[in-house]
Amino acid sequence: MRILVLGGTVFLSKATAAEAVRRGHEVVCAARGESGRVPDGAVLVPVDRDVDLGPLEGAHFDAVVDVAKMSVTWVRRALRAVTADHWTFVSSCSVYADHSVPGTTATLEPLEDDPAAPMSSERYGAIKVASEHAVLDAVGDRAFIVRAGLITGPGDPSDRFGYWPNRLSRGGRVAVPDAPDQPAQHVDARDLATWIVDAAERRTAGTYDAVGPANPLSLVLGEVAGAVAPPGTVLVRIPEPVLQRHGVEPWTGPKSLPLWLPPSHRAMMFRDAGPALAAGLRVRPTAETAVDALAHERALGPDRTRRAGLPPDVEDALLLEVG
């Protein structure tokens, strides 16, 4: 197959290109080429999606994979520029309008791009909705819409999941959120990439929540600890009021506890994985993802500035307060 990956230099798009190359497909990656290299065996075609797809205009591919993060303009431009027998668009579970209760299916109202608008998770989700509509309008039943949840594994630029194997590997008393009933779920980028290439080969169509099974957050953190933490490591539950007094944010940010969610988003990691698993998604154990994510964290260096996680002095203050 001749496969076009719109991206191919970072995380999921790179993992998808690498998996397609591994299977012997002809892989073309369309990107600026500034964020990294494409996998060995893939061909980079430099493009600026703010302008056009350059030499790819008018080309036909057996399959296209688009991971456009937050631009319906990019999505529409690609749909006009090239044709394909199968089209994957990587969307997000952020498209859902209500994350407070499980099982909701209503999505946000679609929004157009607006570079002047402030960034928010709601705006991100609404632009993903508009992008999904654009894909479905253009290719119909040839579309494979992947609403990804938390994507994890080596190469993750968000620093969210990686914070936990990195911190737990150092042992001692580790501050964790006291949210035992909160669910958590994720999908390793390599498993999602495998499924995307499977779908291109099998012409799988439809819209799916691309997530692994949900488990209590305490169980997920326990599995990570079991894989990487030294003997004697103690997970210390920090009550939410204490976290709030110390200005600790949920989910992400330079002073945050990743994977912890506020009540308004408590069901965000409690989507039904059944349809995706039935359609061929296969997920590896969280422990395996944790070990590989830790290797990536160590390669980046322990003293770098993180996008998510607790600074040591904040964690020390939390542990001191709870005793």
Side-chain angles (χ1 to χ4, degrees), residues 115-162:
M119 172 61 175
S120 69
S121 59
E122 288 75 19
R123 181 163 186 81
Y124 169 77
I127 290 176
K128 283 290 193 181
V129 172
S131 299
E132 289 184 7
H133 290 183
V135 172
L136 291 169
D137 288 345
V139 301
D141 60 6
R142 289 177 286 126
F144 181 53
I145 307 293
V146 176
R147 289 175 175 169
L150 176 65
I151 305 176
T152 59
D156 175 14
S158 78
D159 287 339
R160 288 181 298 223
F161 181 86

Side-chain angles (χ1 to χ4, degrees), residues 60-293:
H60 179 81
F61 293 86
D62 296 299
V64 169
V65 179
D66 190 0
V67 298
K69 285 186 177 180
M70 195 176 172
S71 177
V72 65
T73 303
W74 281 14
V75 172
R76 292 196 186 107
R77 186 171 287 138
L79 289 161
R80 290 193 300 267
V82 301
T83 58
D85 300 323
H86 186 266
W87 197 287
T88 296
F89 177 67
V90 179
S91 186
S92 168
C93 285
S94 293
V95 299
Y96 294 111
D98 187 354
H99 298 285
S100 63
V101 294
T104 58
T105 58
T107 61
L108 297 164
E109 291 298 314
L111 279 180
E112 296 297 310
D113 297 342
D114 181 359
M119 172 61 175
S120 69
S121 59
E122 288 75 19
R123 181 163 186 81
Y124 169 77
I127 290 176
K128 283 290 193 181
V129 172
S131 299
E132 289 184 7
H133 290 183
V135 172
L136 291 169
D137 288 345
V139 301
D141 60 6
R142 289 177 286 126
F144 181 53
I145 307 293
V146 176
R147 289 175 175 169
L150 176 65
I151 305 176
T152 59
D156 175 14
S158 78
D159 287 339
R160 288 181 298 223
F161 181 86
Y163 168 78
W164 289 109
N166 183 57
R167 174 62 190 91
L168 286 162
S169 71
R170 299 201 304 271
R173 299 174 75 234
V174 181
V176 301
D178 186 14
D181 296 329
Q182 181 201 304
Q185 62 190 155
H186 69 101
V187 61
D188 190 296
R190 296 163 294 182
D191 296 333
L192 183 51
T194 296
W195 190 39
I196 287 171
V197 179
D198 285 344
E201 292 175 343
R202 300 169 184 169
R203 298 293 190 263
T204 303
T207 301
Y208 297 88
D209 290 341
V211 291
N215 288 294
L217 177 58
S218 56
L219 181 63
V220 172
L221 295 180
E223 190 171 354
V224 175
V228 303
T233 302
V234 178
L235 278 60
V236 181
R237 293 182 176 181
I238 310 297
E240 293 190 19
V242 177
L243 294 173
Q244 293 165 354
R245 278 201 302 274
H246 286 260
V248 176
E249 296 291 333
W251 192 245
T252 193
K255 188 180 177 182
S256 66
L257 269 182
L259 308 191
W260 172 45
L261 292 169
S264 61
H265 287 70
R266 198 52 54 89
M268 189 171 77
M269 290 195 289
F270 195 41
R271 305 299 308 178
D272 183 6
L277 296 174
L281 174 63
R282 296 293 178 264
V283 296
R284 68 193 67 204
T286 294
E288 183 179 334
T289 299
V291 169
D292 294 342

